[in-house]
Amino acid sequence: MSLTTGTIHFTDKKDTYISNSLMRELNIDETKPIKLKLGEKRIKTKIKRVRKKGKHLFIPKSIQQALKLPRKGQSYISLNQDDEIELGPLIGILSLIHQRTLHLPFGKRTYRIKEYLKGGSNKAFYFAFGLSDINWTDETVTAYFIDSRNQWKKKVVPLPDVIYNQLKSRSSHKTKSMQMLLDHFKKHNKSIFNWGFFDKGEMYQLLDGTLEAQNHLPETHISTSSQEIKKMLEKHQFIYLKPTRGSFGRGISRITYHPKNGYFIRFRKINKNHLLRFTNFSSLMKFINQRKTHKNYVIQQGIRLIEIDKHPIDFRLHLNKNGQNEWVVAGDAAKKAGRGNVTTHVEMGGQVMNSLDTLEQVFTSSQSQEIYENAKRTTIQLAEAIERKLPYLVGELGFDIGIDKQGKIWMIEVNSKPGRSIFKHPSLKTQSSDQLRYIFDYCFYLSNQRNTRREVNRI
Ligand SMILES: Nc1ncnc2c1ncn2[C@@H]1O[C@H](COP(=O)(O)OP(=O)(O)O)[C@@H](O)[C@H]1O
Ligand SMILES: [Mg+2]
């Protein structure tokens, strides 16, 4: 396959005209019949040379309409093994549509989606859509593009070559429409990434026993029977009780055991922090069982996180796959818990800070550097282990990393659909735009892979 970038123009002529240098770069044999391809749509055309400097492709308007090519201008252009000229790729960000209006096609998520699209709109046909924007009769989608003035432009295009899945609810994954999309993607050997949702218990089981996770996983149990809780409290004196499918710190309790003073449980309820003491284990258990709001929980060894002014600190490391299919730390930040809080979530009064600056408030400068590098290296290895163990594609992971007072690295949690809230921090400006670029580059990598991939596709 040969690949390059060129400028697409629309013309009133009958045939397709290609400039000499584009002809040469794509290695096109003009004596052979050729097809133009966008998504799964293909149209036969006659190729003619045109003398024009640079790499240009003049497509007849009739073909443009039949292909549903959304715009002219700069794009990747390639010649595949079947001698088809591929335009784009078409890359779709699948998002929830909630309270759609003319100016906010993705409701509250519109601004975020726009940010992503800016990461590659001038390189390929990069758009956002929701499940209900798909028309299954003709396998097209009403796609939302941004134009050069950052305005939304709605166009009907073929189904995308790659999807970045931004659906954040488990229920939307179970719809018929999502199943049809998966079937279509499997059939055509195309990729959707960030498919699944993680469960705190399942993720622990997945990683337990892998070399990469050795010494980095707090002891975790899926059974939350009173015997197990008792055993864990006696062993660690400090444990966390967390809903397996919770997020934003909801439903989490932190329990400490002092042989002399009894049991202390800290939790947050209706935006308030609570601390209760129980003198015996059975009254603690009675309270825990009453408080349950989720179906399943894990109990986890509590990590004595580093602290600043008595506020625990943990770290978010946002990992992405880059254009070479390698894991990179796209962004990282420290998070400080709000006063009396069990978790460090910004939504719960937590504060985002620069990672290295934060470490330097606790460790020496050279120790900080070493711990920082170690945390990044460890997290990349954990991402590789997760990827190896999962049956579907992952292109992005959000790690909650704890660092204890000895500088040891602990994986507290890994998120399958990490938010971008750390990137709002002023010191993360460059990392923020890098992260948006990695998403596009990885999509592009996946679309190119398709032509060479032999194994059955991992969605
Ligand atoms: N085992 C633990 N030791 C110390 N702190 C923890 C532990 N588990 C959770 N926390 C604190 O609670 C926060 C939320 O826990 P997490 O497992 O990430 O759940 P959520 O899915 O709600 O984000 C963490 O970021 C961390 O600050
Ligand atoms: Mg978390």
Side-chain angles (χ1 to χ4, degrees):
M1 191 187 79
S2 39
L3 167 86
T4 187
T5 48
T7 311
I8 296 172
H9 309 263
F10 300 145
T11 159
D12 289 321
K13 302 230 163 61
K14 245 179 48 247
D15 301 320
T16 299
Y17 288 80
I18 305 187
S19 66
N20 279 324
S21 65
L22 184 59
M23 201 78 130
R24 235 185 353 260
E25 228 172 285
L26 292 182
N27 213 358
I28 292 173
D29 178 355
E30 56 198 302
T31 59
K32 277 193 188 165
I34 217 155
K35 282 179 188 159
L36 289 176
K37 174 175 181 286
L38 179 70
E40 294 311 316
K41 292 235 186 296
R42 295 164 167 89
I43 309 280
K44 249 197 206 135
T45 183
K46 235 186 179 159
I47 295 285
K48 291 194 174 153
R49 267 175 202 274
V50 60
R51 282 172 68 115
K52 188 173 166 72
K53 251 187 138 161
K55 293 178 278 180
H56 298 273
L57 179 64
F58 294 84
I59 298 176
K61 280 189 181 142
S62 57
I63 293 187
Q64 178 230 332
Q65 280 159 14
L67 276 180
K68 301 191 190 305
L69 185 60
R71 62 159 175 83
K72 52 190 180 182
Q74 199 66 7
S75 168
Y76 283 111
I77 303 171
S78 57
L79 187 75
N80 69 20
Q81 289 139 325
D82 302 325
D83 277 334
E84 296 168 330
I85 299 178
E86 286 197 27
L87 310 170
L90 281 164
I91 299 174
I93 300 179
L94 176 58
S95 177
L96 184 73
I97 311 170
H98 182 62
Q99 298 180 331
R100 174 174 275 177
T101 64
L102 195 62
H103 298 292
L104 299 173
F106 300 95
K108 276 195 284 198
R109 300 192 46 81
T110 302
Y111 174 71
R112 179 69 43 83
I113 299 281
K114 237 183 198 178
E115 272 188 326
Y116 278 115
L117 294 180
K118 278 190 232 160
S121 280
N122 53 349
K123 299 177 193 154
F125 307 114
Y126 200 18
F127 62 88
F129 70 108
L131 283 173
S132 59
D133 292 321
I134 301 174
N135 177 343
W136 283 111
T137 318
D138 57 5
E139 297 196 344
T140 58
V141 55
T142 304
Y144 289 78
F145 291 87
I146 49 165
D147 65 12
S148 53
R149 286 171 305 137
N150 209 16
Q151 301 294 314
W152 288 107
K153 278 266 149 30
K154 216 161 77 167
K155 299 266 162 104
V156 174
V157 295
L159 289 176
D161 298 298
V162 176
I163 291 179
Y164 170 38
N165 179 21
Q166 271 278 338
L167 287 182
K168 301 207 178 195
S169 82
R170 287 174 202 263
S171 58
S172 55
H173 277 215
K174 294 188 184 127
T175 56
K176 188 163 168 244
S177 195
M178 196 63 180
Q179 196 50 54
M180 285 169 83
L181 198 58
L182 278 182
D183 292 344
H184 169 89
F185 266 62
K186 272 194 185 140
K187 182 172 149 203
H188 294 286
N189 196 24
K190 303 197 283 195
S191 306
I192 299 184
F193 74 96
N194 279 20
W195 167 244
F197 284 91
F198 301 161
D199 168 298
K200 290 183 175 59
E202 284 168 14
M203 186 46 74
Y204 182 81
Q205 285 178 322
L206 192 82
L207 284 176
D208 194 23
T210 63
L211 201 63
E212 294 91 339
Q214 233 177 37
N215 303 320
H216 298 297
L217 293 183
E219 183 179 351
T220 306
H221 293 276
I222 291 165
S223 154
T224 54
S225 66
S226 56
Q227 294 96 303
E228 200 71 67
I229 294 183
K230 190 153 199 226
K231 221 164 71 191
M232 283 288 279
L233 276 171
E234 277 163 12
K235 187 166 172 192
H236 300 289
Q237 289 84 51
F238 171 35
I239 63 168
Y240 268 78
L241 188 64
K242 312 196 276 193
T244 52
R245 293 185 173 185
S247 53
F248 298 111
R250 288 186 200 118
I252 294 184
S253 321
R254 170 192 146 128
I255 309 162
T256 44
Y257 169 54
H258 298 266
K260 280 195 192 126
N261 301 329
Y263 301 89
F264 293 83
I265 179 163
R266 230 180 234 286
F267 58 95
R268 194 175 170 90
K269 195 177 160 189
I270 328 176
N271 292 329
K272 267 180 81 181
N273 296 320
H274 299 264
L275 173 65
L276 297 177
R277 182 171 85 104
F278 295 93
T279 47
N280 63 61
F281 183 72
S282 62
S283 49
L284 168 78
M285 270 321 294
K286 203 167 148 203
F287 178 76
I288 288 176
N289 287 329
Q290 268 171 9
R291 205 180 106 70
K292 276 193 173 161
T293 45
H294 291 70
K295 201 166 153 224
N296 296 308
Y297 286 78
V298 289
I299 34 172
Q300 188 167 71
Q301 162 192 2
I303 304 301
R304 303 275 172 197
L305 301 174
I306 53 168
E307 290 176 354
I308 293 179
D309 308 327
K310 297 226 164 77
H311 293 242
I313 309 281
D314 67 12
F315 294 80
R316 167 55 64 92
L317 275 75
H318 192 116
L319 268 67
N320 280 89
K321 276 287 191 78
N322 67 11
Q324 285 78 47
N325 196 29
E326 301 154 338
W327 285 106
V328 286
V329 178
D332 60 272
K335 292 180 298 165
K336 182 165 131 180
R339 186 162 294 283
N341 257 4
V342 184
T343 74
T344 56
H345 292 278
V346 178
E347 295 76 5
M348 306 278 188
Q351 191 189 335
V352 177
M353 300 177 306
N354 178 281
S355 307
L356 253 181
D357 291 351
T358 305
L359 286 169
E360 285 180 357
Q361 291 187 51
V362 181
F363 301 100
T364 66
S365 174
S366 71
Q367 280 172 334
S368 300
Q369 193 66 43
E370 199 185 317
I371 293 169
Y372 181 58
E373 295 304 330
N374 190 13
K376 291 207 281 190
R377 208 172 34 243
T378 303
T379 315
I380 288 177
Q381 287 165 357
L382 288 167
E384 286 166 354
I386 292 170
E387 184 185 13
R388 193 174 66 236
K389 290 273 181 171
L390 286 176
Y392 48 80
L393 280 175
V394 270
E396 187 174 31
L397 292 166
F399 285 87
D400 289 327
I401 294 293
I403 293 176
D404 67 18
K405 289 160 190 164
Q406 284 71 47
K408 206 175 151 183
I409 315 291
W410 296 91
M411 186 190 111
I412 291 177
E413 190 200 20
V414 52
N415 297 278
S416 56
K417 321 244 174 208
R420 294 193 84 249
S421 62
I422 59 162
F423 292 106
K424 286 190 201 132
H425 193 269
S427 74
L428 265 68
K429 246 200 163 115
T430 317
Q431 295 189 344
S432 172
S433 55
D434 285 349
Q435 193 262 339
L436 301 173
R437 213 192 51 241
Y438 291 137
I439 293 285
F440 176 82
D441 289 352
Y442 184 57
C443 290
F444 187 61
Y445 163 83
L446 289 175
S447 82
N448 288 332
Q449 264 300 94
R450 182 182 167 198
N451 295 314
T452 48
R453 200 167 33 211
R454 295 230 172 74
E455 58 169 318
V456 176
N457 183 29
R458 292 216 290 179
I459 290 275

